[in-house]
Amino acid sequence: MNTPEHILVIGACGQIGSELTKALRKKFGTEQVLATDIRPASAVDPEMQPYAQLNVMDKPALSELMQGKQFTQVYHLAAMLSASGERNPQAAWELNMGSLLSVLDLCLARGVKKVFWPSSIAVFGPDSPKQNCPQQGVTEPTTIYGISKAAGENWCKYYFEKHGLDVRSLRYPGLISAGLPGGGTTDYAVDIFHSAAKEEPYTCFLSSETALPMMYMHDAIRATLELMEAPANELSVRTAYNLAALSFTPDQIYQEIKKLVPDFEINYEPDFRQEIADSWPQSIDDSAARKDWNWKPAYDLERMTAEMLSAIKILIPHSF
Ligand code: NAD
């Protein structure tokens, strides 16, 4: 008989954590998954229970929380994202790196079997190939967020190779879900749907022709669960797997939304995030993920747009 999983999610209230926690509970049982975040319990949806407030920067508090619980899997999602990180590089580095090192250290000490920590396409920079950026593409990022992810990937590999800690990671592209995003450069692709839902024009902070790798959240969650299920000996990448689904520009997603919301309007006012976007690849080669653990995305732009619009409850009778 399989031993039951005991799972800890850190940063569970964010864009990914809120969806991943639900998916983990569906798979392993609600009581098996403890959600934690820096937010006080009083400010958190009651559906997040079981929940504990945790500042992951407080290593003694994390250690105490893990004491005697025998967690088998830990998902560490707390981070400062690319755009917020450029506004406060020192704090981004401290949170992104400091928390990862505490988590890796405590997971090793407490005998956690598997650890998940997400990386990002932000590990790539202007010298990486723009199209179909390969797994081993040059990783010389220009943002502090990307620098923290590139360093973090190498720490994960180090813990695996030196200590045998089974850490797994994905380089997520920009993720699109009905939940509000947390300060990244691809947030426009979520914000645009919320404007469409309110029947307001959208002002995009990237230029109309800026192509970036993107993915619908359902695919990202499935990829995460599939990676964590894969037999350890079939994983050839111990930094972080390239992961891909879609690549589109603001104009392409606008045109797709317009098919369902014909009066929707957009205008463009690129800001400091344009420079970040311009430093990243436009598309990603994820053949290692496809080969090692059979990764295959399910959502194209059309299907994602229709689901996003209904998820945020835009009722356009002639379209649905
Ligand atoms: P988010 O900002 O939406 O969520 C992060 C969560 O961490 C928030 O709920 C926040 O309250 C919590 N948090 C912040 N500081 C904390 C602390 N000190 N202690 C405990 N919790 C704290 O971010 P997200 O989009 O859900 O991203 C999760 C992870 O995935 C991050 O590592 C991010 O870099 C990575 N990622 C996200 C995307 C994306 O498009 N969303 C793309 C690539 C990689």
Side-chain angles (χ1 to χ4, degrees), residues 14-16 37-39 54-56 77 118-119 145 149 173 175:
Q15 189 195 7
I16 300 174
D37 199 285
I38 199 167
R39 303 181 200 189
L54 170 76
N55 178 358
V56 70
L77 308 171
S119 186
Y145 174 71
K149 291 296 186 190
L175 299 182

Side-chain angles (χ1 to χ4, degrees), residues 247-289:
S247 283
F248 57 77
T249 64
D251 181 58
Q252 284 168 322
I253 195 168
Y254 167 66
Q255 297 300 342
E256 200 59 46
I257 293 173
K258 218 170 143 56
K259 287 180 191 164
L260 302 174
V261 188
D263 294 333
F264 187 43
E265 288 175 21
I266 192 166
N267 54 72
Y268 296 94
E269 288 178 15
D271 66 15
F272 73 100
R273 289 168 279 195
Q274 184 68 47
E275 192 181 332
I276 301 177
D278 289 342
S279 77
W280 290 346
Q282 297 180 344
S283 61
I284 298 287
D285 173 0
D286 63 356
S287 46

Side-chain angles (χ1 to χ4, degrees), residues 191-243:
D191 299 341
I192 193 170
F193 284 100
H194 287 271
S195 290
K198 287 184 256 164
E199 297 182 14
E200 289 171 3
Y202 179 64
T203 301
C204 184
F205 57 76
L206 298 182
S207 71
S208 63
E209 299 307 316
T210 308
L212 286 172
M214 299 279 191
M215 180 176 284
Y216 192 42
M217 186 64 82
H218 288 219
D219 271 342
I221 298 297
R222 185 169 54 79
T224 308
L225 298 181
E226 287 176 5
L227 172 69
M228 292 302 276
E229 276 297 305
N233 61 4
E234 287 176 15
L235 303 181
S236 63
V237 175
R238 285 295 179 165
T239 47
Y241 278 94
N242 274 10
L243 190 71

Side-chain angles (χ1 to χ4, degrees), residues 1-10 20-36 47-51 65 69-75 112 114:
M1 205 178 91
N2 291 339
T3 33
E5 299 286 347
H6 293 282
I7 298 173
L8 173 63
V9 183
I10 300 167
L20 183 61
T21 302
K22 269 189 233 150
L24 288 167
R25 286 179 172 163
K26 193 168 171 203
K27 184 166 177 174
F28 297 107
T30 302
E31 294 303 318
Q32 304 309 112
V33 181
L34 176 62
T36 68
E47 286 195 4
M48 276 305 243
Q49 293 294 342
Y51 177 84
L65 184 119
K69 295 242 179 38
Q70 287 300 313
F71 287 112
T72 56
Q73 296 187 32
V74 171
Y75 294 74
V112 173
K114 286 186 223 171

